[in-house]
Amino acid sequence: MENRELLFGNHAIALGAYEAGVTVGTGYPGTPSSEILEFLTKYPGVYTEWSVNEKVAFEVGYGAAISGARVLITMKHVGLNVAADPLFTSSYTGIKGGLVIVNADDPNMHSSQNEQDNRHYAYAAKVPMLEPSDCQEAKDFTAYGFTLSETYDTPVILRTVTRLSHSLGVVIPNENPLRNRKIEGFTRDVSKYVMIPGHARKRHIIVEERMRKLEEDVNTSPLNRMEINDTDIGFISAGIAYTYVKEAFPTASVLKLGIVHPLPEKLIADFFKQVKEVYIVEELDPFLELQIKAMGFKTEGKKYYPLTGELSPDLVQRAFIDKSGITQKEAKTGLKTEISLPPRPPSLCPGCPHRQVFKILNKHNITVTGDIGCYTLGVLPPFSSMHTCVEMGGSIGHIQGIEIAEGENYKSNAVAVIGDSTFIHSGVAGLLNAAYNKRHSLIIVLDNSTTAMTGMQPNPLSGQRINGEEALQVDYRLLAQACGLEDDNIRIVDAYKPGALEDTILSLLKTKKLSLLVVQGLCIILKKRKTRTEKKNG
Amino acid sequence: MGKIFNVLMVGVGGQGIIMASDIFALAAMHSGKDVKKSEIHGMSQRGGSVFSHIRFGEKVYSPVISKGEADVLFSLEEMETLRWIEYANTETTIICLKTRINPGMVETYPPGIDEEIKRLSKKVFFLDPQPIIEKIENKKFLNVALIGLISGFVHFSDESWEKAIREKVPRGTFEGNWQAFLTGKNLHREEFQ
């Protein structure tokens, strides 16, 4: 038997990048994308970094790509919002070495604040998007993405979803990975890389020509595949949803799209010619459906199943159960209990350094603008101490807005709470804004020395790089001083000294001056892990 | 398309579901099967409800099991068995470890859970972990012993199991884990045959 491996979806993506000769990987952690870069770090001859946020990750990756390296950039769906700015214009300049951006969507919001459908980004930024449906394809499509990127001189987005990123599947590795690819370095070409309006207008025309060529070529791409079986009924699907269709309707015809942008109109026309009734199955938005309807084909999709959450084989089966001529496997009935069980929501770990802060904030009935991380769990009982949470870094902006809107009525009984990694990601700019615009908010950084929620990635406040080597550890005090905060309003307190913590919070609120309070306590999971390692090493 | 065998493992964060299901999926692959496994990392690690879908056969498409389609529902916690029972049908073998873990904020464990499981299924087996723990070298190997027990419901070779366990357990613990696996396998003979 060939050399088969059982790989995690995210591992397969990293392997695909390695096999395609990637030498640079950048990203910012975010479920379900975080493990990709961690796997990539383990391969020889690849530089990887956790960048401070997705925009910077994109820019560093882009710089390497226009110097001829093949580059993988990873982020979760909401991360692409942060990196959208460079995405849209890099589409104009094109690249030099292949550039693949892995975008991990999270239908059903297993660990996210929204379930936006990022296929729209490919459409809006005019870049091709690939969508694998299993781990083997995750590897193969990633590797193919670099060829596509270089052939058409464009960034390419690979879309994965939680259900694929966090599943295990059988993968056959490529025994001859492309390594030792020559990297030419950066060559000046201002009309291509400097997007002043005069250059950008010309590049936009090139982008449209590229998309027209792609629209033609995707009709014959091996990534788009027609599986003609029963010609009475057929489905057009892609990604993980394709596997649900195959499971629910094994005898139906299927047009499986591996490239979800741009769509292969001729191939779709051919499918409609061969199959009597065609339905679209896709998670989240009717992205394929609207475009295929706009092409003039008679079809339905979202009419039969939800716009929200994940699909599943049984959900797909139920959606089309009454369609004439459909052969489906026998559906079994699941057992149903009438007992309602208490939920088992995730909670802050016993011993978590963040617990004390939320207890104190709750005790004093303080309004808390919140942020993204483990500590968002402070919203749940028994703490019930978080009152806003929208996006990374948002807490520091929110509190300024509350203060401005309430004006003279502002009672100085509100704080912004943000984790260390989130603070570095996009909180620092908020702090600077508060200082510049004369706000007097109290900003509390919950510093557990790691990006815990996504699996303990280091950041510029933990003094380590992705590969474990020592690195810069930003000095909170100097940072706050540079923003003009007074010394007395910059405090660093031990998370496990609740008395001092409570006094500090109350006294800083009374000062009515912009304040930064850093609550330090190593993540309890990381602490246990370190103790174990130390024991092992004697 | 051949029959796909579906195993749903459920429990609570920290009970070791992920490693146990990894061993299971790996053994399936080593026996020449196509296999997929699906679970969710992230929020669920913080003491939440944890599940792992394992599917194997000639060719597996979906990584998730449909409701009512589990062949084996294997649960490390009593209440969790009931939470996921919709994935089982009347023919599903349900194995439930006699373990109770209160959810955070819940003082008393809800009554009548075991009775309800018995009412819904005639093929449920409750397992007391204590006698198993007494037979194995280290209580940390309990999950591998339980894997040994459910190995009786599938037909993978001993070599596949051995290879999978060797690849997944911490270095230096293979022997103990392998003995635990065999203990579980024998228990299957006693309990189910």
Side-chain angles (χ1 to χ4, degrees), chain A residues 4 163 166-168 246-247 313 334-337 342 344 346-347 452, chain B residues 22 29 33 36-38 43 46 55 62 66 80 83 86 88 101 116:
Chain A
R4 304 195 312 161
R163 214 37 99 160
H166 285 178
S167 72
L168 279 176
K246 292 296 282 183
E247 194 81 28
L335 303 175
K336 287 197 174 53
T337 176
R344 206 183 277 282
S347 58
Chain B
D22 271 355
M29 187 188 74
K33 310 246 187 285
K36 282 186 180 168
K37 183 182 104 136
S38 172
M43 278 284 189
R46 308 288 182 266
R55 312 191 67 221
S62 164
S66 292
E80 293 308 304
R83 198 186 303 282
E86 225 186 324
I101 301 171
E116 175 70 355

PDB file of all heavy atoms in Angstrom, chain A residues 4 163 166-168 246-247 313 334-337 342 344 346-347 452, chain B residues 22 29 33 36-38 43 46 55 62 66 80 83 86 88 101 116:
ATOM      1  N   ARG A   4       0.409   5.981   3.309  1.00  0.00           N
ATOM      2  CA  ARG A   4      -0.755   6.772   3.705  1.00  0.00           C
ATOM      3  C   ARG A   4      -0.539   7.361   5.092  1.00  0.00           C
ATOM      4  O   ARG A   4       0.026   6.720   5.959  1.00  0.00           O
ATOM      5  CB  ARG A   4      -2.012   5.894   3.735  1.00  0.00           C
ATOM      6  CG  ARG A   4      -2.274   5.187   2.416  1.00  0.00           C
ATOM      7  CD  ARG A   4      -3.675   4.637   2.330  1.00  0.00           C
ATOM      8  NE  ARG A   4      -4.084   3.891   3.524  1.00  0.00           N
ATOM      9  CZ  ARG A   4      -5.363   3.639   3.811  1.00  0.00           C
ATOM     10  NH1 ARG A   4      -6.322   4.088   3.027  1.00  0.00           N
ATOM     11  NH2 ARG A   4      -5.675   2.961   4.893  1.00  0.00           N
ATOM     12  N   ARG A 163     -14.963  22.401  10.017  1.00  0.00           N
ATOM     13  CA  ARG A 163     -15.247  20.985   9.868  1.00  0.00           C
ATOM     14  C   ARG A 163     -14.154  20.266   9.069  1.00  0.00           C
ATOM     15  O   ARG A 163     -13.944  19.079   9.219  1.00  0.00           O
ATOM     16  CB  ARG A 163     -16.598  20.862   9.189  1.00  0.00           C
ATOM     17  CG  ARG A 163     -17.461  19.715   9.572  1.00  0.00           C
ATOM     18  CD  ARG A 163     -17.435  19.316  10.994  1.00  0.00           C
ATOM     19  NE  ARG A 163     -18.527  19.801  11.792  1.00  0.00           N
ATOM     20  CZ  ARG A 163     -18.890  19.270  12.958  1.00  0.00           C
ATOM     21  NH1 ARG A 163     -18.245  18.232  13.457  1.00  0.00           N
ATOM     22  NH2 ARG A 163     -19.878  19.788  13.641  1.00  0.00           N
ATOM     23  N   HIS A 166     -10.424  20.917  11.258  1.00  0.00           N
ATOM     24  CA  HIS A 166     -10.328  20.119  12.472  1.00  0.00           C
ATOM     25  C   HIS A 166     -10.823  18.691  12.282  1.00  0.00           C
ATOM     26  O   HIS A 166     -11.353  18.083  13.198  1.00  0.00           O
ATOM     27  CB  HIS A 166     -11.091  20.801  13.614  1.00  0.00           C
ATOM     28  CG  HIS A 166     -10.359  21.986  14.157  1.00  0.00           C
ATOM     29  ND1 HIS A 166     -10.848  22.780  15.156  1.00  0.00           N
ATOM     30  CD2 HIS A 166      -9.165  22.510  13.823  1.00  0.00           C
ATOM     31  CE1 HIS A 166      -9.973  23.741  15.416  1.00  0.00           C
ATOM     32  NE2 HIS A 166      -8.946  23.602  14.612  1.00  0.00           N
ATOM     33  N   SER A 167     -10.692  18.166  11.071  1.00  0.00           N
ATOM     34  CA  SER A 167     -11.007  16.753  10.909  1.00  0.00           C
ATOM     35  C   SER A 167      -9.737  16.013  10.506  1.00  0.00           C
ATOM     36  O   SER A 167      -8.791  16.611  10.010  1.00  0.00           O
ATOM     37  CB  SER A 167     -12.128  16.555   9.887  1.00  0.00           C
ATOM     38  OG  SER A 167     -11.670  16.800   8.594  1.00  0.00           O
ATOM     39  N   LEU A 168      -9.741  14.726  10.755  1.00  0.00           N
ATOM     40  CA  LEU A 168      -8.617  13.887  10.341  1.00  0.00           C
ATOM     41  C   LEU A 168      -9.039  13.106   9.113  1.00  0.00           C
ATOM     42  O   LEU A 168     -10.175  12.648   9.031  1.00  0.00           O
ATOM     43  CB  LEU A 168      -8.285  12.877  11.431  1.00  0.00           C
ATOM     44  CG  LEU A 168      -7.448  13.273  12.629  1.00  0.00           C
ATOM     45  CD1 LEU A 168      -7.375  12.087  13.589  1.00  0.00           C
ATOM     46  CD2 LEU A 168      -6.043  13.655  12.223  1.00  0.00           C
ATOM     47  N   LYS A 246     -22.900  13.788  -1.242  1.00  0.00           N
ATOM     48  CA  LYS A 246     -22.539  12.423  -1.637  1.00  0.00           C
ATOM     49  C   LYS A 246     -23.085  11.411  -0.640  1.00  0.00           C
ATOM     50  O   LYS A 246     -23.480  10.306  -1.005  1.00  0.00           O
ATOM     51  CB  LYS A 246     -21.013  12.274  -1.716  1.00  0.00           C
ATOM     52  CG  LYS A 246     -20.358  13.044  -2.829  1.00  0.00           C
ATOM     53  CD  LYS A 246     -20.780  12.592  -4.209  1.00  0.00           C
ATOM     54  CE  LYS A 246     -20.086  11.304  -4.636  1.00  0.00           C
ATOM     55  NZ  LYS A 246     -20.478  10.935  -6.031  1.00  0.00           N
ATOM     56  N   GLU A 247     -23.099  11.814   0.615  1.00  0.00           N
ATOM     57  CA  GLU A 247     -23.571  10.935   1.676  1.00  0.00           C
ATOM     58  C   GLU A 247     -25.098  10.781   1.605  1.00  0.00           C
ATOM     59  O   GLU A 247     -25.623   9.674   1.713  1.00  0.00           O
ATOM     60  CB  GLU A 247     -23.171  11.574   3.006  1.00  0.00           C
ATOM     61  CG  GLU A 247     -23.269  10.676   4.183  1.00  0.00           C
ATOM     62  CD  GLU A 247     -22.070   9.760   4.323  1.00  0.00           C
ATOM     63  OE1 GLU A 247     -20.962  10.103   3.883  1.00  0.00           O
ATOM     64  OE2 GLU A 247     -22.279   8.673   4.868  1.00  0.00           O
ATOM     65  N   PRO A 313     -25.111  15.769   6.635  1.00  0.00           N
ATOM     66  CA  PRO A 313     -25.757  14.875   5.665  1.00  0.00           C
ATOM     67  C   PRO A 313     -27.258  14.757   5.905  1.00  0.00           C
ATOM     68  O   PRO A 313     -28.045  14.798   4.953  1.00  0.00           O
ATOM     69  CB  PRO A 313     -25.052  13.541   5.907  1.00  0.00           C
ATOM     70  CG  PRO A 313     -23.757  13.878   6.537  1.00  0.00           C
ATOM     71  CD  PRO A 313     -23.991  15.134   7.321  1.00  0.00           C
ATOM     72  N   GLY A 334     -33.265   8.935  14.998  1.00  0.00           N
ATOM     73  CA  GLY A 334     -32.458   9.023  16.207  1.00  0.00           C
ATOM     74  C   GLY A 334     -33.337   8.939  17.444  1.00  0.00           C
ATOM     75  O   GLY A 334     -34.522   9.276  17.407  1.00  0.00           O
ATOM     76  N   LEU A 335     -32.764   8.478  18.552  1.00  0.00           N
ATOM     77  CA  LEU A 335     -33.503   8.396  19.810  1.00  0.00           C
ATOM     78  C   LEU A 335     -33.725   9.809  20.352  1.00  0.00           C
ATOM     79  O   LEU A 335     -32.887  10.687  20.171  1.00  0.00           O
ATOM     80  CB  LEU A 335     -32.720   7.563  20.827  1.00  0.00           C
ATOM     81  CG  LEU A 335     -32.360   6.137  20.388  1.00  0.00           C
ATOM     82  CD1 LEU A 335     -31.484   5.463  21.443  1.00  0.00           C
ATOM     83  CD2 LEU A 335     -33.617   5.318  20.129  1.00  0.00           C
ATOM     84  N   LYS A 336     -34.853   9.991  21.002  1.00  0.00           N
ATOM     85  CA  LYS A 336     -35.128  11.327  21.535  1.00  0.00           C
ATOM     86  C   LYS A 336     -35.478  11.261  23.014  1.00  0.00           C
ATOM     87  O   LYS A 336     -36.322  10.494  23.425  1.00  0.00           O
ATOM     88  CB  LYS A 336     -36.280  11.966  20.759  1.00  0.00           C
ATOM     89  CG  LYS A 336     -35.832  12.379  19.381  1.00  0.00           C
ATOM     90  CD  LYS A 336     -36.760  13.356  18.708  1.00  0.00           C
ATOM     91  CE  LYS A 336     -36.174  13.836  17.387  1.00  0.00           C
ATOM     92  NZ  LYS A 336     -35.772  12.760  16.469  1.00  0.00           N
ATOM     93  N   THR A 337     -34.816  12.102  23.780  1.00  0.00           N
ATOM     94  CA  THR A 337     -35.100  12.132  25.205  1.00  0.00           C
ATOM     95  C   THR A 337     -35.989  13.321  25.535  1.00  0.00           C
ATOM     96  O   THR A 337     -35.938  14.346  24.855  1.00  0.00           O
ATOM     97  CB  THR A 337     -33.810  12.211  26.046  1.00  0.00           C
ATOM     98  OG1 THR A 337     -34.187  12.339  27.421  1.00  0.00           O
ATOM     99  CG2 THR A 337     -32.941  13.388  25.660  1.00  0.00           C
ATOM    100  N   PRO A 342     -28.929  20.107  31.884  1.00  0.00           N
ATOM    101  CA  PRO A 342     -28.264  21.397  32.097  1.00  0.00           C
ATOM    102  C   PRO A 342     -27.153  21.549  31.058  1.00  0.00           C
ATOM    103  O   PRO A 342     -26.459  20.573  30.762  1.00  0.00           O
ATOM    104  CB  PRO A 342     -27.691  21.277  33.508  1.00  0.00           C
ATOM    105  CG  PRO A 342     -27.626  19.818  33.801  1.00  0.00           C
ATOM    106  CD  PRO A 342     -28.701  19.166  32.991  1.00  0.00           C
ATOM    107  N   ARG A 344     -23.587  22.528  29.294  1.00  0.00           N
ATOM    108  CA  ARG A 344     -22.224  22.437  29.794  1.00  0.00           C
ATOM    109  C   ARG A 344     -21.395  23.461  29.028  1.00  0.00           C
ATOM    110  O   ARG A 344     -20.624  23.099  28.136  1.00  0.00           O
ATOM    111  CB  ARG A 344     -21.695  21.017  29.568  1.00  0.00           C
ATOM    112  CG  ARG A 344     -20.622  20.572  30.514  1.00  0.00           C
ATOM    113  CD  ARG A 344     -20.118  19.201  30.152  1.00  0.00           C
ATOM    114  NE  ARG A 344     -20.906  18.089  30.656  1.00  0.00           N
ATOM    115  CZ  ARG A 344     -20.868  17.634  31.913  1.00  0.00           C
ATOM    116  NH1 ARG A 344     -20.105  18.199  32.794  1.00  0.00           N
ATOM    117  NH2 ARG A 344     -21.602  16.594  32.275  1.00  0.00           N
ATOM    118  N   PRO A 346     -18.576  26.204  28.042  1.00  0.00           N
ATOM    119  CA  PRO A 346     -17.177  26.346  28.427  1.00  0.00           C
ATOM    120  C   PRO A 346     -17.086  27.389  29.541  1.00  0.00           C
ATOM    121  O   PRO A 346     -17.965  28.235  29.664  1.00  0.00           O
ATOM    122  CB  PRO A 346     -16.500  26.843  27.158  1.00  0.00           C
ATOM    123  CG  PRO A 346     -17.593  27.410  26.323  1.00  0.00           C
ATOM    124  CD  PRO A 346     -18.843  26.701  26.701  1.00  0.00           C
ATOM    125  N   SER A 347     -16.061  27.307  30.354  1.00  0.00           N
ATOM    126  CA  SER A 347     -15.924  28.305  31.413  1.00  0.00           C
ATOM    127  C   SER A 347     -14.450  28.580  31.659  1.00  0.00           C
ATOM    128  O   SER A 347     -13.592  27.825  31.218  1.00  0.00           O
ATOM    129  CB  SER A 347     -16.573  27.785  32.689  1.00  0.00           C
ATOM    130  OG  SER A 347     -15.973  26.576  33.061  1.00  0.00           O
ATOM    131  N   ALA A 452      -4.001  32.297  24.650  1.00  0.00           N
ATOM    132  CA  ALA A 452      -4.457  31.020  25.210  1.00  0.00           C
ATOM    133  C   ALA A 452      -5.605  30.401  24.427  1.00  0.00           C
ATOM    134  O   ALA A 452      -5.606  29.206  24.140  1.00  0.00           O
ATOM    135  CB  ALA A 452      -4.861  31.217  26.668  1.00  0.00           C
TER     136      ALA A 452
ATOM    137  N   ASP B  22      -8.201   9.487  18.325  1.00  0.00           N
ATOM    138  CA  ASP B  22      -7.061   9.452  17.395  1.00  0.00           C
ATOM    139  C   ASP B  22      -6.564   8.021  17.219  1.00  0.00           C
ATOM    140  O   ASP B  22      -6.296   7.579  16.098  1.00  0.00           O
ATOM    141  CB  ASP B  22      -5.890  10.289  17.954  1.00  0.00           C
ATOM    142  CG  ASP B  22      -5.959  11.744  17.528  1.00  0.00           C
ATOM    143  OD1 ASP B  22      -6.854  12.083  16.726  1.00  0.00           O
ATOM    144  OD2 ASP B  22      -5.126  12.539  18.006  1.00  0.00           O
ATOM    145  N   MET B  29      -7.162   3.203   9.828  1.00  0.00           N
ATOM    146  CA  MET B  29      -6.349   3.428   8.629  1.00  0.00           C
ATOM    147  C   MET B  29      -5.320   2.313   8.450  1.00  0.00           C
ATOM    148  O   MET B  29      -5.129   1.812   7.344  1.00  0.00           O
ATOM    149  CB  MET B  29      -5.647   4.776   8.677  1.00  0.00           C
ATOM    150  CG  MET B  29      -4.936   5.079   7.359  1.00  0.00           C
ATOM    151  SD  MET B  29      -3.889   6.531   7.384  1.00  0.00           S
ATOM    152  CE  MET B  29      -2.513   5.940   8.335  1.00  0.00           C
ATOM    153  N   LYS B  33      -8.480   0.775   5.864  1.00  0.00           N
ATOM    154  CA  LYS B  33      -9.766   1.427   5.612  1.00  0.00           C
ATOM    155  C   LYS B  33      -9.579   2.902   5.273  1.00  0.00           C
ATOM    156  O   LYS B  33      -8.582   3.510   5.627  1.00  0.00           O
ATOM    157  CB  LYS B  33     -10.630   1.346   6.875  1.00  0.00           C
ATOM    158  CG  LYS B  33     -10.729  -0.029   7.476  1.00  0.00           C
ATOM    159  CD  LYS B  33     -12.146  -0.531   7.380  1.00  0.00           C
ATOM    160  CE  LYS B  33     -12.367  -1.828   8.115  1.00  0.00           C
ATOM    161  NZ  LYS B  33     -11.817  -3.005   7.425  1.00  0.00           N
ATOM    162  N   LYS B  36     -12.395   8.937   8.446  1.00  0.00           N
ATOM    163  CA  LYS B  36     -12.441  10.365   8.759  1.00  0.00           C
ATOM    164  C   LYS B  36     -12.835  10.521  10.213  1.00  0.00           C
ATOM    165  O   LYS B  36     -13.599   9.720  10.746  1.00  0.00           O
ATOM    166  CB  LYS B  36     -13.436  11.099   7.863  1.00  0.00           C
ATOM    167  CG  LYS B  36     -12.876  11.363   6.464  1.00  0.00           C
ATOM    168  CD  LYS B  36     -13.789  12.201   5.620  1.00  0.00           C
ATOM    169  CE  LYS B  36     -13.157  12.402   4.239  1.00  0.00           C
ATOM    170  NZ  LYS B  36     -14.119  12.963   3.275  1.00  0.00           N
ATOM    171  N   LYS B  37     -12.313  11.569  10.805  1.00  0.00           N
ATOM    172  CA  LYS B  37     -12.639  11.846  12.198  1.00  0.00           C
ATOM    173  C   LYS B  37     -12.897  13.330  12.328  1.00  0.00           C
ATOM    174  O   LYS B  37     -12.189  14.133  11.729  1.00  0.00           O
ATOM    175  CB  LYS B  37     -11.458  11.440  13.083  1.00  0.00           C
ATOM    176  CG  LYS B  37     -11.732  11.618  14.558  1.00  0.00           C
ATOM    177  CD  LYS B  37     -10.520  11.248  15.394  1.00  0.00           C
ATOM    178  CE  LYS B  37      -9.846  12.509  15.879  1.00  0.00           C
ATOM    179  NZ  LYS B  37      -9.427  12.501  17.270  1.00  0.00           N
ATOM    180  N   SER B  38     -13.919  13.703  13.052  1.00  0.00           N
ATOM    181  CA  SER B  38     -14.232  15.127  13.184  1.00  0.00           C
ATOM    182  C   SER B  38     -14.521  15.495  14.622  1.00  0.00           C
ATOM    183  O   SER B  38     -15.205  14.774  15.340  1.00  0.00           O
ATOM    184  CB  SER B  38     -15.459  15.472  12.334  1.00  0.00           C
ATOM    185  OG  SER B  38     -15.877  16.794  12.601  1.00  0.00           O
ATOM    186  N   MET B  43     -13.275  26.547  21.997  1.00  0.00           N
ATOM    187  CA  MET B  43     -14.122  26.813  23.156  1.00  0.00           C
ATOM    188  C   MET B  43     -14.389  25.547  23.973  1.00  0.00           C
ATOM    189  O   MET B  43     -14.415  25.578  25.190  1.00  0.00           O
ATOM    190  CB  MET B  43     -15.470  27.377  22.711  1.00  0.00           C
ATOM    191  CG  MET B  43     -15.434  28.865  22.438  1.00  0.00           C
ATOM    192  SD  MET B  43     -15.410  29.770  23.984  1.00  0.00           S
ATOM    193  CE  MET B  43     -15.656  31.437  23.394  1.00  0.00           C
ATOM    194  N   ARG B  46     -12.539  24.235  27.144  1.00  0.00           N
ATOM    195  CA  ARG B  46     -12.639  24.831  28.466  1.00  0.00           C
ATOM    196  C   ARG B  46     -13.768  24.183  29.269  1.00  0.00           C
ATOM    197  O   ARG B  46     -14.714  24.836  29.651  1.00  0.00           O
ATOM    198  CB  ARG B  46     -12.857  26.346  28.340  1.00  0.00           C
ATOM    199  CG  ARG B  46     -11.857  27.071  27.450  1.00  0.00           C
ATOM    200  CD  ARG B  46     -10.477  27.175  28.108  1.00  0.00           C
ATOM    201  NE  ARG B  46      -9.536  27.910  27.252  1.00  0.00           N
ATOM    202  CZ  ARG B  46      -8.718  27.318  26.392  1.00  0.00           C
ATOM    203  NH1 ARG B  46      -8.734  26.014  26.223  1.00  0.00           N
ATOM    204  NH2 ARG B  46      -7.879  28.038  25.672  1.00  0.00           N
ATOM    205  N   ARG B  55     -15.525   7.729  11.452  1.00  0.00           N
ATOM    206  CA  ARG B  55     -16.251   6.985  10.420  1.00  0.00           C
ATOM    207  C   ARG B  55     -15.235   6.241   9.562  1.00  0.00           C
ATOM    208  O   ARG B  55     -14.256   6.809   9.116  1.00  0.00           O
ATOM    209  CB  ARG B  55     -17.050   7.955   9.526  1.00  0.00           C
ATOM    210  CG  ARG B  55     -17.863   8.975  10.316  1.00  0.00           C
ATOM    211  CD  ARG B  55     -18.832   9.720   9.409  1.00  0.00           C
ATOM    212  NE  ARG B  55     -19.842   8.814   8.930  1.00  0.00           N
ATOM    213  CZ  ARG B  55     -20.317   8.801   7.682  1.00  0.00           C
ATOM    214  NH1 ARG B  55     -19.856   9.636   6.776  1.00  0.00           N
ATOM    215  NH2 ARG B  55     -21.241   7.925   7.332  1.00  0.00           N
ATOM    216  N   SER B  62     -18.577  12.162   4.208  1.00  0.00           N
ATOM    217  CA  SER B  62     -18.782  13.144   5.275  1.00  0.00           C
ATOM    218  C   SER B  62     -17.949  12.820   6.512  1.00  0.00           C
ATOM    219  O   SER B  62     -17.900  11.669   6.946  1.00  0.00           O
ATOM    220  CB  SER B  62     -20.261  13.153   5.657  1.00  0.00           C
ATOM    221  OG  SER B  62     -20.426  13.801   6.892  1.00  0.00           O
ATOM    222  N   SER B  66     -24.539  11.255  10.670  1.00  0.00           N
ATOM    223  CA  SER B  66     -25.905  11.782  10.685  1.00  0.00           C
ATOM    224  C   SER B  66     -26.614  11.323  11.946  1.00  0.00           C
ATOM    225  O   SER B  66     -26.282  10.281  12.509  1.00  0.00           O
ATOM    226  CB  SER B  66     -26.682  11.263   9.476  1.00  0.00           C
ATOM    227  OG  SER B  66     -26.162  11.805   8.302  1.00  0.00           O
ATOM    228  N   GLU B  80     -23.700  13.077  29.360  1.00  0.00           N
ATOM    229  CA  GLU B  80     -23.314  13.316  27.963  1.00  0.00           C
ATOM    230  C   GLU B  80     -23.893  12.241  27.032  1.00  0.00           C
ATOM    231  O   GLU B  80     -24.170  12.503  25.867  1.00  0.00           O
ATOM    232  CB  GLU B  80     -21.789  13.402  27.825  1.00  0.00           C
ATOM    233  CG  GLU B  80     -21.177  14.619  28.511  1.00  0.00           C
ATOM    234  CD  GLU B  80     -21.834  15.933  28.119  1.00  0.00           C
ATOM    235  OE1 GLU B  80     -21.887  16.249  26.914  1.00  0.00           O
ATOM    236  OE2 GLU B  80     -22.326  16.653  29.015  1.00  0.00           O
ATOM    237  N   ARG B  83     -27.133  13.547  26.148  1.00  0.00           N
ATOM    238  CA  ARG B  83     -27.047  14.757  25.331  1.00  0.00           C
ATOM    239  C   ARG B  83     -26.872  14.404  23.841  1.00  0.00           C
ATOM    240  O   ARG B  83     -27.333  15.113  22.967  1.00  0.00           O
ATOM    241  CB  ARG B  83     -25.883  15.630  25.807  1.00  0.00           C
ATOM    242  CG  ARG B  83     -25.955  17.069  25.332  1.00  0.00           C
ATOM    243  CD  ARG B  83     -24.704  17.865  25.715  1.00  0.00           C
ATOM    244  NE  ARG B  83     -24.394  17.887  27.147  1.00  0.00           N
ATOM    245  CZ  ARG B  83     -25.011  18.655  28.040  1.00  0.00           C
ATOM    246  NH1 ARG B  83     -25.970  19.473  27.659  1.00  0.00           N
ATOM    247  NH2 ARG B  83     -24.672  18.614  29.306  1.00  0.00           N
ATOM    248  N   GLU B  86     -29.399  11.413  20.296  1.00  0.00           N
ATOM    249  CA  GLU B  86     -30.077  11.556  19.006  1.00  0.00           C
ATOM    250  C   GLU B  86     -29.271  10.930  17.860  1.00  0.00           C
ATOM    251  O   GLU B  86     -29.811  10.639  16.806  1.00  0.00           O
ATOM    252  CB  GLU B  86     -30.259  13.049  18.712  1.00  0.00           C
ATOM    253  CG  GLU B  86     -31.639  13.376  18.202  1.00  0.00           C
ATOM    254  CD  GLU B  86     -31.746  14.825  17.773  1.00  0.00           C
ATOM    255  OE1 GLU B  86     -31.127  15.701  18.398  1.00  0.00           O
ATOM    256  OE2 GLU B  86     -32.442  15.067  16.783  1.00  0.00           O
ATOM    257  N   ALA B  88     -27.929   8.070  18.117  1.00  0.00           N
ATOM    258  CA  ALA B  88     -28.114   6.629  18.233  1.00  0.00           C
ATOM    259  C   ALA B  88     -29.509   6.243  17.763  1.00  0.00           C
ATOM    260  O   ALA B  88     -30.428   7.064  17.775  1.00  0.00           O
ATOM    261  CB  ALA B  88     -27.919   6.209  19.681  1.00  0.00           C
ATOM    262  N   ILE B 101     -19.909  14.013  36.051  1.00  0.00           N
ATOM    263  CA  ILE B 101     -19.182  15.272  36.219  1.00  0.00           C
ATOM    264  C   ILE B 101     -20.216  16.397  36.159  1.00  0.00           C
ATOM    265  O   ILE B 101     -20.877  16.571  35.129  1.00  0.00           O
ATOM    266  CB  ILE B 101     -18.105  15.451  35.123  1.00  0.00           C
ATOM    267  CG1 ILE B 101     -17.100  14.284  35.158  1.00  0.00           C
ATOM    268  CG2 ILE B 101     -17.397  16.789  35.277  1.00  0.00           C
ATOM    269  CD1 ILE B 101     -16.118  14.249  33.997  1.00  0.00           C
ATOM    270  N   GLU B 116     -33.402   6.874  32.070  1.00  0.00           N
ATOM    271  CA  GLU B 116     -33.860   7.385  30.783  1.00  0.00           C
ATOM    272  C   GLU B 116     -33.095   6.712  29.631  1.00  0.00           C
ATOM    273  O   GLU B 116     -33.681   6.343  28.618  1.00  0.00           O
ATOM    274  CB  GLU B 116     -33.688   8.916  30.735  1.00  0.00           C
ATOM    275  CG  GLU B 116     -34.010   9.574  29.396  1.00  0.00           C
ATOM    276  CD  GLU B 116     -35.486   9.565  29.025  1.00  0.00           C
ATOM    277  OE1 GLU B 116     -36.290   8.961  29.759  1.00  0.00           O
ATOM    278  OE2 GLU B 116     -35.825  10.155  27.980  1.00  0.00           O
TER     279      GLU B 116
END
